[in-house]
Amino acid sequence: MSSDRISRRSFLARGAALGGATFLGGCDQLSRSPSFREVLSKAEWLTKNVQRLVLTERSLAREYSEADLSTHFKANGSTSVADPIYQAMAKNGFSDFALSIDGLVERPTSLKLEELRRLPSRTQITRHDCVEGWSAIGKWTGAQLGPLLQSVGLKPEARYLVFHCADKLGAFSKYYESIDLIDAFHPQTILAYDMNGAPLSVPHGAPIRLRVERQLGYKHAKYVQRIEAVSSFAMIEGGRGGFWEDRGYEWYAGI
Ligand SMILES: Nc1nc2c(c(=O)[nH]1)N[C@H]1C(S)=C(S)[C@@H](COP(=O)(O)O)O[C@H]1N2
Ligand SMILES: [Mo]
């Protein structure tokens, strides 16, 4: 992170020199302007990571109202899990489920669903965009990932979180995904256990799925069993940070 911080500081200094306080204060609005994004994306002195920090660090994905909720929300990718242990847990309403948080953390933790439900939570109505060309608006409630990570304590070497899922997609390997710490600590990044006011159903990823609202659908890992903090995902599965990334999709799938 330190090189990002340094470049961000020099970017901000440059920004201040160019546009002063208005530039910085209007950053969130500007970041939504396509021409502004285009200007930044052409600036040779700005790395891709720094653009992401500056453009999206604090900005929230758009939130909608109850009236905007989709009457049908497609379930996509895996819509069930073959693993018999998972199926037994589903029969018991996931009362035996426990989420593991391990890897580069100070206090490896295992959390029951009821414990997750007692953590600081957030409810948000957002639009889910799938690369396959469909979108749907849903209401999600879940534990905010940031405070949870603070309580387990990330080690200084941690740079990414890997979400290990219970399902296999077709005959292939298990689904997994990863995000960086910018997205991990973003207020809208939650481990969702409710969808549209009811416990998450199996087709939508029960008992918990990730919501990382500024990215495309495939980043929103369903059936999350384990969160692993890592310094690099190069040694995990195909090495590109996700099931679909290993098959050619972008790792950062910004909307
Ligand atoms: N574990 C797991 N997570 C997954 C998938 C999957 O197949 N397995 N599919 C992804 C894709 S491509 C999309 S669009 C969304 C679909 O979420 P939904 O079923 O709630 O619509 O989940 C994502 N997360
Ligand atoms: Mo998707």
PDB file of all heavy atoms in Angstrom, residues 1 4-5 8 12 27-28 31 37 49-61 180-189 214 252:
ATOM      1  N   MET A   1       0.821  -1.217   0.000  1.00  0.00           N
ATOM      2  CA  MET A   1       0.000   0.000   0.000  1.00  0.00           C
ATOM      3  C   MET A   1       0.852   1.263   0.000  1.00  0.00           C
ATOM      4  O   MET A   1       0.408   2.290  -0.451  1.00  0.00           O
ATOM      5  CB  MET A   1      -0.899   0.058   1.243  1.00  0.00           C
ATOM      6  CG  MET A   1      -2.090  -0.894   1.229  1.00  0.00           C
ATOM      7  SD  MET A   1      -3.351  -0.529   0.017  1.00  0.00           S
ATOM      8  CE  MET A   1      -4.176   0.875   0.786  1.00  0.00           C
ATOM      9  N   ASP A   4       1.307   3.070  -3.220  1.00  0.00           N
ATOM     10  CA  ASP A   4       0.045   3.714  -3.605  1.00  0.00           C
ATOM     11  C   ASP A   4      -0.124   5.031  -2.868  1.00  0.00           C
ATOM     12  O   ASP A   4      -0.539   6.023  -3.444  1.00  0.00           O
ATOM     13  CB  ASP A   4      -1.142   2.821  -3.248  1.00  0.00           C
ATOM     14  CG  ASP A   4      -1.322   1.704  -4.262  1.00  0.00           C
ATOM     15  OD1 ASP A   4      -0.678   1.772  -5.322  1.00  0.00           O
ATOM     16  OD2 ASP A   4      -2.099   0.807  -3.991  1.00  0.00           O
ATOM     17  N   ARG A   5       0.185   4.974  -1.576  1.00  0.00           N
ATOM     18  CA  ARG A   5      -0.027   6.188  -0.774  1.00  0.00           C
ATOM     19  C   ARG A   5       0.854   7.314  -1.254  1.00  0.00           C
ATOM     20  O   ARG A   5       0.431   8.431  -1.369  1.00  0.00           O
ATOM     21  CB  ARG A   5       0.252   5.909   0.709  1.00  0.00           C
ATOM     22  CG  ARG A   5      -0.974   5.384   1.377  1.00  0.00           C
ATOM     23  CD  ARG A   5      -0.924   5.607   2.857  1.00  0.00           C
ATOM     24  NE  ARG A   5      -1.796   4.616   3.458  1.00  0.00           N
ATOM     25  CZ  ARG A   5      -1.347   3.561   4.124  1.00  0.00           C
ATOM     26  NH1 ARG A   5      -0.058   3.412   4.348  1.00  0.00           N
ATOM     27  NH2 ARG A   5      -2.196   2.681   4.591  1.00  0.00           N
ATOM     28  N   ARG A   8      -0.412   8.559  -4.509  1.00  0.00           N
ATOM     29  CA  ARG A   8      -1.663   9.276  -4.319  1.00  0.00           C
ATOM     30  C   ARG A   8      -1.374  10.671  -3.805  1.00  0.00           C
ATOM     31  O   ARG A   8      -1.963  11.644  -4.248  1.00  0.00           O
ATOM     32  CB  ARG A   8      -2.545   8.523  -3.330  1.00  0.00           C
ATOM     33  CG  ARG A   8      -3.832   9.272  -3.073  1.00  0.00           C
ATOM     34  CD  ARG A   8      -4.833   8.432  -2.332  1.00  0.00           C
ATOM     35  NE  ARG A   8      -6.064   9.190  -2.212  1.00  0.00           N
ATOM     36  CZ  ARG A   8      -6.487   9.686  -1.067  1.00  0.00           C
ATOM     37  NH1 ARG A   8      -5.808   9.504   0.035  1.00  0.00           N
ATOM     38  NH2 ARG A   8      -7.615  10.362  -1.036  1.00  0.00           N
ATOM     39  N   LEU A  12      -2.422  14.046  -5.533  1.00  0.00           N
ATOM     40  CA  LEU A  12      -3.255  15.068  -4.901  1.00  0.00           C
ATOM     41  C   LEU A  12      -2.560  16.422  -4.950  1.00  0.00           C
ATOM     42  O   LEU A  12      -3.192  17.443  -5.193  1.00  0.00           O
ATOM     43  CB  LEU A  12      -3.580  14.682  -3.455  1.00  0.00           C
ATOM     44  CG  LEU A  12      -4.552  13.502  -3.324  1.00  0.00           C
ATOM     45  CD1 LEU A  12      -4.766  13.149  -1.862  1.00  0.00           C
ATOM     46  CD2 LEU A  12      -5.882  13.801  -3.983  1.00  0.00           C
ATOM     47  N   CYS A  27     -14.531  15.829  -6.143  1.00  0.00           N
ATOM     48  CA  CYS A  27     -13.955  14.590  -6.673  1.00  0.00           C
ATOM     49  C   CYS A  27     -15.005  13.516  -6.935  1.00  0.00           C
ATOM     50  O   CYS A  27     -15.007  12.882  -7.982  1.00  0.00           O
ATOM     51  CB  CYS A  27     -12.920  14.074  -5.699  1.00  0.00           C
ATOM     52  SG  CYS A  27     -11.718  12.994  -6.468  1.00  0.00           S
ATOM     53  N   ASP A  28     -15.914  13.338  -5.981  1.00  0.00           N
ATOM     54  CA  ASP A  28     -16.904  12.271  -6.146  1.00  0.00           C
ATOM     55  C   ASP A  28     -17.791  12.517  -7.354  1.00  0.00           C
ATOM     56  O   ASP A  28     -18.086  11.603  -8.114  1.00  0.00           O
ATOM     57  CB  ASP A  28     -17.782  12.151  -4.890  1.00  0.00           C
ATOM     58  CG  ASP A  28     -17.051  11.357  -3.821  1.00  0.00           C
ATOM     59  OD1 ASP A  28     -15.908  10.938  -4.094  1.00  0.00           O
ATOM     60  OD2 ASP A  28     -17.614  11.180  -2.738  1.00  0.00           O
ATOM     61  N   SER A  31     -15.869  12.101 -10.521  1.00  0.00           N
ATOM     62  CA  SER A  31     -15.519  10.720 -10.836  1.00  0.00           C
ATOM     63  C   SER A  31     -16.628  10.037 -11.622  1.00  0.00           C
ATOM     64  O   SER A  31     -16.417   9.029 -12.259  1.00  0.00           O
ATOM     65  CB  SER A  31     -15.212   9.934  -9.566  1.00  0.00           C
ATOM     66  OG  SER A  31     -16.406   9.710  -8.844  1.00  0.00           O
ATOM     67  N   ARG A  37     -13.135  10.796 -16.298  1.00  0.00           N
ATOM     68  CA  ARG A  37     -12.480   9.482 -16.243  1.00  0.00           C
ATOM     69  C   ARG A  37     -11.536   9.298 -17.418  1.00  0.00           C
ATOM     70  O   ARG A  37     -10.457   8.760 -17.298  1.00  0.00           O
ATOM     71  CB  ARG A  37     -13.528   8.361 -16.292  1.00  0.00           C
ATOM     72  CG  ARG A  37     -14.028   7.974 -14.925  1.00  0.00           C
ATOM     73  CD  ARG A  37     -15.063   6.881 -15.040  1.00  0.00           C
ATOM     74  NE  ARG A  37     -15.583   6.576 -13.734  1.00  0.00           N
ATOM     75  CZ  ARG A  37     -15.120   5.603 -12.946  1.00  0.00           C
ATOM     76  NH1 ARG A  37     -14.153   4.833 -13.362  1.00  0.00           N
ATOM     77  NH2 ARG A  37     -15.634   5.393 -11.759  1.00  0.00           N
ATOM     78  N   ASN A  49      -3.829   1.882 -10.376  1.00  0.00           N
ATOM     79  CA  ASN A  49      -4.219   1.764  -8.975  1.00  0.00           C
ATOM     80  C   ASN A  49      -4.511   3.111  -8.347  1.00  0.00           C
ATOM     81  O   ASN A  49      -5.420   3.242  -7.542  1.00  0.00           O
ATOM     82  CB  ASN A  49      -3.127   1.063  -8.172  1.00  0.00           C
ATOM     83  CG  ASN A  49      -3.187  -0.424  -8.397  1.00  0.00           C
ATOM     84  OD1 ASN A  49      -4.239  -0.948  -8.752  1.00  0.00           O
ATOM     85  ND2 ASN A  49      -2.068  -1.093  -8.203  1.00  0.00           N
ATOM     86  N   VAL A  50      -3.719   4.100  -8.719  1.00  0.00           N
ATOM     87  CA  VAL A  50      -3.943   5.413  -8.138  1.00  0.00           C
ATOM     88  C   VAL A  50      -5.262   5.992  -8.639  1.00  0.00           C
ATOM     89  O   VAL A  50      -6.026   6.574  -7.882  1.00  0.00           O
ATOM     90  CB  VAL A  50      -2.760   6.356  -8.443  1.00  0.00           C
ATOM     91  CG1 VAL A  50      -3.031   7.740  -7.904  1.00  0.00           C
ATOM     92  CG2 VAL A  50      -1.488   5.793  -7.835  1.00  0.00           C
ATOM     93  N   GLN A  51      -5.556   5.766  -9.901  1.00  0.00           N
ATOM     94  CA  GLN A  51      -6.864   6.211 -10.416  1.00  0.00           C
ATOM     95  C   GLN A  51      -7.985   5.622  -9.590  1.00  0.00           C
ATOM     96  O   GLN A  51      -8.937   6.289  -9.249  1.00  0.00           O
ATOM     97  CB  GLN A  51      -7.091   5.710 -11.839  1.00  0.00           C
ATOM     98  CG  GLN A  51      -6.363   6.456 -12.908  1.00  0.00           C
ATOM     99  CD  GLN A  51      -6.651   5.790 -14.240  1.00  0.00           C
ATOM    100  OE1 GLN A  51      -7.791   5.445 -14.537  1.00  0.00           O
ATOM    101  NE2 GLN A  51      -5.631   5.600 -15.035  1.00  0.00           N
ATOM    102  N   ARG A  52      -7.857   4.337  -9.302  1.00  0.00           N
ATOM    103  CA  ARG A  52      -8.911   3.662  -8.536  1.00  0.00           C
ATOM    104  C   ARG A  52      -9.047   4.286  -7.165  1.00  0.00           C
ATOM    105  O   ARG A  52     -10.149   4.511  -6.692  1.00  0.00           O
ATOM    106  CB  ARG A  52      -8.580   2.174  -8.392  1.00  0.00           C
ATOM    107  CG  ARG A  52      -8.907   1.384  -9.630  1.00  0.00           C
ATOM    108  CD  ARG A  52      -8.873  -0.079  -9.316  1.00  0.00           C
ATOM    109  NE  ARG A  52      -9.647  -0.347  -8.123  1.00  0.00           N
ATOM    110  CZ  ARG A  52      -9.364  -1.299  -7.248  1.00  0.00           C
ATOM    111  NH1 ARG A  52      -8.316  -2.050  -7.421  1.00  0.00           N
ATOM    112  NH2 ARG A  52     -10.107  -1.479  -6.207  1.00  0.00           N
ATOM    113  N   LEU A  53      -7.906   4.568  -6.525  1.00  0.00           N
ATOM    114  CA  LEU A  53      -7.962   5.178  -5.197  1.00  0.00           C
ATOM    115  C   LEU A  53      -8.678   6.510  -5.246  1.00  0.00           C
ATOM    116  O   LEU A  53      -9.595   6.771  -4.486  1.00  0.00           O
ATOM    117  CB  LEU A  53      -6.543   5.427  -4.683  1.00  0.00           C
ATOM    118  CG  LEU A  53      -5.911   4.334  -3.846  1.00  0.00           C
ATOM    119  CD1 LEU A  53      -4.451   4.669  -3.592  1.00  0.00           C
ATOM    120  CD2 LEU A  53      -6.637   4.209  -2.521  1.00  0.00           C
ATOM    121  N   VAL A  54      -8.242   7.342  -6.187  1.00  0.00           N
ATOM    122  CA  VAL A  54      -8.755   8.695  -6.227  1.00  0.00           C
ATOM    123  C   VAL A  54     -10.213   8.720  -6.671  1.00  0.00           C
ATOM    124  O   VAL A  54     -11.040   9.430  -6.125  1.00  0.00           O
ATOM    125  CB  VAL A  54      -7.883   9.548  -7.173  1.00  0.00           C
ATOM    126  CG1 VAL A  54      -8.507  10.899  -7.398  1.00  0.00           C
ATOM    127  CG2 VAL A  54      -6.490   9.679  -6.581  1.00  0.00           C
ATOM    128  N   LEU A  55     -10.536   7.892  -7.661  1.00  0.00           N
ATOM    129  CA  LEU A  55     -11.881   7.948  -8.219  1.00  0.00           C
ATOM    130  C   LEU A  55     -12.916   7.274  -7.336  1.00  0.00           C
ATOM    131  O   LEU A  55     -14.061   7.668  -7.318  1.00  0.00           O
ATOM    132  CB  LEU A  55     -11.908   7.258  -9.589  1.00  0.00           C
ATOM    133  CG  LEU A  55     -11.210   7.998 -10.702  1.00  0.00           C
ATOM    134  CD1 LEU A  55     -11.120   7.112 -11.932  1.00  0.00           C
ATOM    135  CD2 LEU A  55     -11.958   9.274 -11.041  1.00  0.00           C
ATOM    136  N   THR A  56     -12.497   6.237  -6.641  1.00  0.00           N
ATOM    137  CA  THR A  56     -13.546   5.411  -6.051  1.00  0.00           C
ATOM    138  C   THR A  56     -13.395   5.130  -4.568  1.00  0.00           C
ATOM    139  O   THR A  56     -14.223   4.467  -3.993  1.00  0.00           O
ATOM    140  CB  THR A  56     -13.619   4.053  -6.780  1.00  0.00           C
ATOM    141  OG1 THR A  56     -12.366   3.402  -6.655  1.00  0.00           O
ATOM    142  CG2 THR A  56     -13.958   4.210  -8.228  1.00  0.00           C
ATOM    143  N   GLU A  57     -12.358   5.642  -3.951  1.00  0.00           N
ATOM    144  CA  GLU A  57     -12.101   5.305  -2.558  1.00  0.00           C
ATOM    145  C   GLU A  57     -13.327   5.570  -1.691  1.00  0.00           C
ATOM    146  O   GLU A  57     -13.723   4.736  -0.908  1.00  0.00           O
ATOM    147  CB  GLU A  57     -10.921   6.147  -2.072  1.00  0.00           C
ATOM    148  CG  GLU A  57     -10.449   5.802  -0.701  1.00  0.00           C
ATOM    149  CD  GLU A  57      -9.164   6.547  -0.377  1.00  0.00           C
ATOM    150  OE1 GLU A  57      -9.010   7.707  -0.820  1.00  0.00           O
ATOM    151  OE2 GLU A  57      -8.314   5.971   0.286  1.00  0.00           O
ATOM    152  N   ARG A  58     -13.910   6.738  -1.817  1.00  0.00           N
ATOM    153  CA  ARG A  58     -15.007   7.077  -0.923  1.00  0.00           C
ATOM    154  C   ARG A  58     -16.360   7.026  -1.611  1.00  0.00           C
ATOM    155  O   ARG A  58     -17.383   7.103  -0.970  1.00  0.00           O
ATOM    156  CB  ARG A  58     -14.793   8.494  -0.359  1.00  0.00           C
ATOM    157  CG  ARG A  58     -13.669   8.589   0.669  1.00  0.00           C
ATOM    158  CD  ARG A  58     -13.209  10.022   0.803  1.00  0.00           C
ATOM    159  NE  ARG A  58     -12.770  10.538  -0.493  1.00  0.00           N
ATOM    160  CZ  ARG A  58     -13.113  11.711  -0.976  1.00  0.00           C
ATOM    161  NH1 ARG A  58     -13.887  12.519  -0.307  1.00  0.00           N
ATOM    162  NH2 ARG A  58     -12.681  12.092  -2.167  1.00  0.00           N
ATOM    163  N   SER A  59     -16.390   6.967  -2.941  1.00  0.00           N
ATOM    164  CA  SER A  59     -17.681   7.125  -3.598  1.00  0.00           C
ATOM    165  C   SER A  59     -18.542   5.878  -3.410  1.00  0.00           C
ATOM    166  O   SER A  59     -18.041   4.757  -3.429  1.00  0.00           O
ATOM    167  CB  SER A  59     -17.483   7.429  -5.080  1.00  0.00           C
ATOM    168  OG  SER A  59     -16.841   6.358  -5.698  1.00  0.00           O
ATOM    169  N   LEU A  60     -19.812   6.110  -3.215  1.00  0.00           N
ATOM    170  CA  LEU A  60     -20.752   5.017  -3.001  1.00  0.00           C
ATOM    171  C   LEU A  60     -21.391   4.631  -4.324  1.00  0.00           C
ATOM    172  O   LEU A  60     -21.660   5.489  -5.167  1.00  0.00           O
ATOM    173  CB  LEU A  60     -21.848   5.446  -2.029  1.00  0.00           C
ATOM    174  CG  LEU A  60     -21.430   5.757  -0.588  1.00  0.00           C
ATOM    175  CD1 LEU A  60     -22.640   6.176   0.235  1.00  0.00           C
ATOM    176  CD2 LEU A  60     -20.730   4.577   0.057  1.00  0.00           C
ATOM    177  N   ALA A  61     -21.676   3.340  -4.468  1.00  0.00           N
ATOM    178  CA  ALA A  61     -22.489   2.904  -5.593  1.00  0.00           C
ATOM    179  C   ALA A  61     -23.885   3.488  -5.379  1.00  0.00           C
ATOM    180  O   ALA A  61     -24.328   3.676  -4.244  1.00  0.00           O
ATOM    181  CB  ALA A  61     -22.551   1.387  -5.632  1.00  0.00           C
ATOM    182  N   ASP A 180      -9.377  -6.233  -3.057  1.00  0.00           N
ATOM    183  CA  ASP A 180      -8.279  -5.600  -2.329  1.00  0.00           C
ATOM    184  C   ASP A 180      -8.833  -4.887  -1.089  1.00  0.00           C
ATOM    185  O   ASP A 180     -10.037  -4.913  -0.831  1.00  0.00           O
ATOM    186  CB  ASP A 180      -7.492  -4.645  -3.238  1.00  0.00           C
ATOM    187  CG  ASP A 180      -8.338  -3.498  -3.771  1.00  0.00           C
ATOM    188  OD1 ASP A 180      -9.435  -3.226  -3.221  1.00  0.00           O
ATOM    189  OD2 ASP A 180      -7.917  -2.868  -4.757  1.00  0.00           O
ATOM    190  N   LEU A 181      -7.929  -4.255  -0.343  1.00  0.00           N
ATOM    191  CA  LEU A 181      -8.355  -3.677   0.935  1.00  0.00           C
ATOM    192  C   LEU A 181      -9.170  -2.397   0.751  1.00  0.00           C
ATOM    193  O   LEU A 181      -9.945  -2.020   1.619  1.00  0.00           O
ATOM    194  CB  LEU A 181      -7.138  -3.419   1.833  1.00  0.00           C
ATOM    195  CG  LEU A 181      -6.340  -4.681   2.185  1.00  0.00           C
ATOM    196  CD1 LEU A 181      -5.238  -4.360   3.190  1.00  0.00           C
ATOM    197  CD2 LEU A 181      -7.237  -5.796   2.723  1.00  0.00           C
ATOM    198  N   ILE A 182      -9.018  -1.754  -0.404  1.00  0.00           N
ATOM    199  CA  ILE A 182      -9.840  -0.562  -0.670  1.00  0.00           C
ATOM    200  C   ILE A 182     -11.306  -0.983  -0.694  1.00  0.00           C
ATOM    201  O   ILE A 182     -12.154  -0.401  -0.029  1.00  0.00           O
ATOM    202  CB  ILE A 182      -9.470   0.100  -2.018  1.00  0.00           C
ATOM    203  CG1 ILE A 182      -8.001   0.509  -2.031  1.00  0.00           C
ATOM    204  CG2 ILE A 182     -10.367   1.300  -2.295  1.00  0.00           C
ATOM    205  CD1 ILE A 182      -7.518   0.935  -3.417  1.00  0.00           C
ATOM    206  N   ASP A 183     -11.599  -2.023  -1.447  1.00  0.00           N
ATOM    207  CA  ASP A 183     -12.980  -2.508  -1.495  1.00  0.00           C
ATOM    208  C   ASP A 183     -13.390  -3.187  -0.190  1.00  0.00           C
ATOM    209  O   ASP A 183     -14.544  -3.099   0.212  1.00  0.00           O
ATOM    210  CB  ASP A 183     -13.190  -3.444  -2.688  1.00  0.00           C
ATOM    211  CG  ASP A 183     -13.658  -2.676  -3.922  1.00  0.00           C
ATOM    212  OD1 ASP A 183     -14.425  -1.701  -3.751  1.00  0.00           O
ATOM    213  OD2 ASP A 183     -13.254  -3.030  -5.029  1.00  0.00           O
ATOM    214  N   ALA A 184     -12.446  -3.857   0.470  1.00  0.00           N
ATOM    215  CA  ALA A 184     -12.802  -4.557   1.711  1.00  0.00           C
ATOM    216  C   ALA A 184     -13.314  -3.580   2.771  1.00  0.00           C
ATOM    217  O   ALA A 184     -14.232  -3.888   3.518  1.00  0.00           O
ATOM    218  CB  ALA A 184     -11.602  -5.335   2.236  1.00  0.00           C
ATOM    219  N   PHE A 185     -12.701  -2.406   2.826  1.00  0.00           N
ATOM    220  CA  PHE A 185     -13.085  -1.442   3.859  1.00  0.00           C
ATOM    221  C   PHE A 185     -14.121  -0.429   3.371  1.00  0.00           C
ATOM    222  O   PHE A 185     -14.485   0.486   4.096  1.00  0.00           O
ATOM    223  CB  PHE A 185     -11.844  -0.728   4.422  1.00  0.00           C
ATOM    224  CG  PHE A 185     -11.068  -1.613   5.371  1.00  0.00           C
ATOM    225  CD1 PHE A 185     -10.007  -2.398   4.915  1.00  0.00           C
ATOM    226  CD2 PHE A 185     -11.427  -1.697   6.708  1.00  0.00           C
ATOM    227  CE1 PHE A 185      -9.311  -3.237   5.783  1.00  0.00           C
ATOM    228  CE2 PHE A 185     -10.734  -2.524   7.583  1.00  0.00           C
ATOM    229  CZ  PHE A 185      -9.676  -3.300   7.123  1.00  0.00           C
ATOM    230  N   HIS A 186     -14.604  -0.587   2.154  1.00  0.00           N
ATOM    231  CA  HIS A 186     -15.628   0.315   1.638  1.00  0.00           C
ATOM    232  C   HIS A 186     -16.937   0.053   2.400  1.00  0.00           C
ATOM    233  O   HIS A 186     -17.284  -1.097   2.663  1.00  0.00           O
ATOM    234  CB  HIS A 186     -15.808   0.051   0.132  1.00  0.00           C
ATOM    235  CG  HIS A 186     -16.736   1.016  -0.529  1.00  0.00           C
ATOM    236  ND1 HIS A 186     -18.084   0.780  -0.607  1.00  0.00           N
ATOM    237  CD2 HIS A 186     -16.508   2.209  -1.115  1.00  0.00           C
ATOM    238  CE1 HIS A 186     -18.652   1.809  -1.235  1.00  0.00           C
ATOM    239  NE2 HIS A 186     -17.704   2.679  -1.546  1.00  0.00           N
ATOM    240  N   PRO A 187     -17.650   1.127   2.781  1.00  0.00           N
ATOM    241  CA  PRO A 187     -18.832   0.923   3.632  1.00  0.00           C
ATOM    242  C   PRO A 187     -19.915   0.041   3.024  1.00  0.00           C
ATOM    243  O   PRO A 187     -20.669  -0.597   3.757  1.00  0.00           O
ATOM    244  CB  PRO A 187     -19.359   2.346   3.871  1.00  0.00           C
ATOM    245  CG  PRO A 187     -18.644   3.228   2.910  1.00  0.00           C
ATOM    246  CD  PRO A 187     -17.362   2.546   2.547  1.00  0.00           C
ATOM    247  N   GLN A 188     -20.007  -0.018   1.699  1.00  0.00           N
ATOM    248  CA  GLN A 188     -21.045  -0.850   1.080  1.00  0.00           C
ATOM    249  C   GLN A 188     -20.596  -2.299   0.867  1.00  0.00           C
ATOM    250  O   GLN A 188     -21.340  -3.081   0.285  1.00  0.00           O
ATOM    251  CB  GLN A 188     -21.470  -0.268  -0.270  1.00  0.00           C
ATOM    252  CG  GLN A 188     -22.341   0.979  -0.168  1.00  0.00           C
ATOM    253  CD  GLN A 188     -22.533   1.631  -1.512  1.00  0.00           C
ATOM    254  OE1 GLN A 188     -21.573   1.724  -2.285  1.00  0.00           O
ATOM    255  NE2 GLN A 188     -23.729   2.097  -1.803  1.00  0.00           N
ATOM    256  N   THR A 189     -19.404  -2.639   1.298  1.00  0.00           N
ATOM    257  CA  THR A 189     -18.960  -4.027   1.150  1.00  0.00           C
ATOM    258  C   THR A 189     -19.433  -4.820   2.357  1.00  0.00           C
ATOM    259  O   THR A 189     -18.998  -4.586   3.485  1.00  0.00           O
ATOM    260  CB  THR A 189     -17.430  -4.083   0.987  1.00  0.00           C
ATOM    261  OG1 THR A 189     -17.088  -3.351  -0.182  1.00  0.00           O
ATOM    262  CG2 THR A 189     -16.959  -5.524   0.847  1.00  0.00           C
ATOM    263  N   ARG A 214     -19.449  -1.821  -6.188  1.00  0.00           N
ATOM    264  CA  ARG A 214     -18.908  -1.056  -7.307  1.00  0.00           C
ATOM    265  C   ARG A 214     -18.308  -1.963  -8.383  1.00  0.00           C
ATOM    266  O   ARG A 214     -17.648  -1.481  -9.305  1.00  0.00           O
ATOM    267  CB  ARG A 214     -17.895  -0.038  -6.798  1.00  0.00           C
ATOM    268  CG  ARG A 214     -18.559   0.964  -5.827  1.00  0.00           C
ATOM    269  CD  ARG A 214     -17.567   1.868  -5.191  1.00  0.00           C
ATOM    270  NE  ARG A 214     -16.496   1.106  -4.546  1.00  0.00           N
ATOM    271  CZ  ARG A 214     -15.403   1.655  -4.038  1.00  0.00           C
ATOM    272  NH1 ARG A 214     -15.234   2.958  -4.121  1.00  0.00           N
ATOM    273  NH2 ARG A 214     -14.494   0.912  -3.461  1.00  0.00           N
ATOM    274  N   TYR A 252     -10.207  -6.591 -11.715  1.00  0.00           N
ATOM    275  CA  TYR A 252     -10.986  -5.450 -11.209  1.00  0.00           C
ATOM    276  C   TYR A 252     -12.109  -5.185 -12.195  1.00  0.00           C
ATOM    277  O   TYR A 252     -11.888  -4.714 -13.301  1.00  0.00           O
ATOM    278  CB  TYR A 252     -10.130  -4.189 -10.999  1.00  0.00           C
ATOM    279  CG  TYR A 252     -10.964  -3.117 -10.342  1.00  0.00           C
ATOM    280  CD1 TYR A 252     -11.263  -3.212  -8.979  1.00  0.00           C
ATOM    281  CD2 TYR A 252     -11.528  -2.080 -11.079  1.00  0.00           C
ATOM    282  CE1 TYR A 252     -12.083  -2.290  -8.365  1.00  0.00           C
ATOM    283  CE2 TYR A 252     -12.358  -1.144 -10.461  1.00  0.00           C
ATOM    284  CZ  TYR A 252     -12.626  -1.256  -9.116  1.00  0.00           C
ATOM    285  OH  TYR A 252     -13.456  -0.341  -8.497  1.00  0.00           O
TER     286      TYR A 252
END
